Amino acid sequence: MSFINYSSREINCKLVYYGPGLCGKTTNLQYIYNKTRPEAKGKMISLATETERTLFFDFLPLSLGEIRGFKTRFHLYTVPGQVFYDASRKLILKGVDGVCFVADSQEERFDANIESLENLRLNLNEQGYDLDKLPYVIQYNKRDLPNAMSSAELARTLNTTQVPEFDGVATTGIGVFDTLKMLAKLVLAELRKGT
């Protein structure tokens, strides 16, 4: 649920990158952060324990337009990939406006993708959200690896609702901004419906 700051005339939106451990969620956010102009972004904050890491930062995109005279500021979050940290995942999903599911294209990670997607649906449902009614995109990351499944194979199981999907190589930035721009566009369209 977006938050409106009337004094700064900003609508704050929360985008969450979700997926199995080591699929590239953090790499996506780091790439976006490193390529975003300093004056348009806040600090990147990493909440790290011995075995989990959650990153977040906010940025103000200047080219996505305004809604009734308000600028939009996006707050990007990753969730810890390990199932052990389910409580952290649930907390990070509170107030979410849009979700990017980052799938690991490696064949041996296919079951982990399915488990993580089911976990996403379950955690959203527990908080009164329906993934099929939220702005939502999928990124098939690690497309450059020799053991990557085809996007079509991944989509048959992971994208049954046919949301926008993107191939990605987060380490080099391939597909990273395409994924983010589409998710931001879907969130803004949803906000405009509500105005």
Side-chain angles (χ1 to χ4, degrees), residues 19-32:
L22 305 174
C23 67
K25 301 176 297 292
T26 297
T27 309
N28 265 277
L29 255 66
Q30 287 171 329
Y31 188 87
I32 294 164

Side-chain angles (χ1 to χ4, degrees), residues 114-131:
I114 294 168
E115 182 183 342
S116 185
L117 187 56
E118 287 172 357
N119 178 261
L120 170 61
R121 282 189 181 281
L122 180 70
N123 285 342
L124 285 170
N125 285 341
E126 282 181 20
Q127 296 186 47
Y129 296 107
D130 179 350
L131 183 59

Side-chain angles (χ1 to χ4, degrees), residues 95-158:
V96 68
D97 293 296
V99 175
C100 172
F101 184 80
V102 182
D104 190 325
S105 294
Q106 297 176 92
E107 194 170 356
E108 62 271 19
R109 300 294 291 152
F110 188 65
D111 289 342
N113 288 324
I114 294 168
E115 182 183 342
S116 185
L117 187 56
E118 287 172 357
N119 178 261
L120 170 61
R121 282 189 181 281
L122 180 70
N123 285 342
L124 285 170
N125 285 341
E126 282 181 20
Q127 296 186 47
Y129 296 107
D130 179 350
L131 183 59
D132 298 328
K133 294 185 177 140
L134 268 176
Y136 167 50
V137 298
I138 296 176
Q139 181 190 88
Y140 305 119
N141 193 30
K142 302 187 181 182
R143 301 301 309 146
D144 57 331
L145 298 181
N147 55 343
M149 296 173 68
S150 76
S151 300
E153 284 178 288
L154 290 163
R156 267 194 293 280
T157 304
L158 300 176

Side-chain angles (χ1 to χ4, degrees), residues 67-107:
I67 298 173
R68 293 191 178 208
F70 285 78
K71 293 178 182 158
T72 49
R73 180 175 293 274
F74 290 96
H75 299 264
L76 276 60
Y77 289 77
T78 61
V79 297
Q82 295 74 15
V83 179
F84 180 77
Y85 293 104
D86 207 39
S88 297
R89 289 180 183 179
K90 288 176 187 175
L91 190 62
I92 292 163
L93 284 171
K94 277 190 187 291
V96 68
D97 293 296
V99 175
C100 172
F101 184 80
V102 182
D104 190 325
S105 294
Q106 297 176 92
E107 194 170 356

